[in-house]
């Protein structure tokens, strides 16, 4: 029994001795101890927004139904304006009818950006910077 007690005491002392000299990691210089590297987003130039791809920043787009013309070819007369000898009753002989979607206007507010002309940057998700795990410390912030 005395022998086990002595062995236990010796092992405890060894562990205590080694733990006193255990090396604690230094702060990682690359990420300044945060574990992540933050870089300014080059795609949105740190604004968090990019020009809307649908309206190209104009906040209005051409109606896709009538291609911005405000009207489209009459389905009944195929744009000829007449059916046989008479004028087409649908287009009154004009060959075109007003666009139903845009009500005859040539542009509509952009539905992609809510007429702002800008959309959230998909690269940084609107933060203005990108972050990634530090490869030097593997995201721990400490170098061992």
């Amino acid at each position: 029994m005395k022998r086990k007690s002595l062995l236990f005491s010796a092992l405890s002392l060894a562990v205590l001795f080694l733990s006193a000299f255990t090396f604690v990691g230094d702060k990682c210089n690359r990420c300044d101890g945060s574990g992540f590297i933050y870089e300014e987003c080059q795609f949105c130039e740190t604004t968090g927004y990019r020009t809307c791809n649908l309206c190209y920043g104009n906040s209005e787009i051409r109606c896709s139904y009538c291609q911005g013309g405000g009207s489209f070819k009459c389905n009944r007369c195929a744009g000829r304006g007449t059916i046989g000898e008479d004028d087409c009753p649908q287009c009154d002989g004009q060959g075109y009818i007003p666009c139903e979607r845009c009500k005859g206007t040539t542009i509509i507010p952009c539905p992609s950006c809510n007429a702002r002309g800008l959309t959230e940057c998909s690269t940084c998700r609107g933060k203005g910077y990108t972050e990634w795990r530090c490869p030097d410390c593997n995201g721990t912030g400490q170098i061992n």
Side-chain angles (χ1 to χ4, degrees):
M1 185 66 138
K2 201 175 200 187
R3 197 173 193 157
K4 283 186 182 179
S5 175
L6 267 173
L7 185 59
F8 181 75
S9 294
L11 283 173
S12 296
L13 223 110
V15 168
L16 191 65
F17 180 77
L18 289 174
S19 67
F21 292 98
T22 300
F23 178 73
V24 176
D26 291 331
K27 182 170 79 168
C28 177
N29 289 332
R30 187 166 184 186
C31 67
D32 200 28
S34 71
F36 290 91
I37 297 175
Y38 302 93
E39 293 181 327
E40 293 180 351
C41 181
Q42 302 300 311
F43 291 98
C44 67
E45 297 175 352
T46 72
T47 63
Y49 293 94
R50 295 176 72 180
T51 302
C52 176
N53 291 336
L54 191 60
C55 70
Y56 303 106
N58 294 320
S59 76
E60 295 176 332
I61 60 171
R62 293 190 180 278
C63 175
S64 60
Y65 199 61
C66 68
Q67 304 304 316
S71 62
F72 59 95
K73 280 187 182 181
C74 174
N75 290 335
R76 193 158 185 193
C77 69
R80 291 188 308 272
T82 59
I83 299 175
E85 300 293 322
D86 301 317
D87 284 343
C88 174
Q90 188 172 358
C91 67
D92 293 326
Q94 300 297 312
Y96 289 86
I97 59 174
C99 176
E100 294 169 7
R101 287 194 182 172
C102 70
K103 299 184 180 25
T105 61
T106 58
I107 51 177
I108 60 171
C110 180
S112 181
C113 65
N114 294 324
R116 290 183 40 213
L118 299 172
T119 56
E120 186 178 271
C121 177
S122 59
T123 304
C124 67
R125 288 180 237 121
K127 292 187 232 174
Y129 62 91
T130 54
E131 63 183 355
W132 43 285
R133 185 185 306 244
C134 178
D136 289 358
C137 67
N138 200 25
T140 64
Q142 301 288 314
I143 299 292
N144 291 330

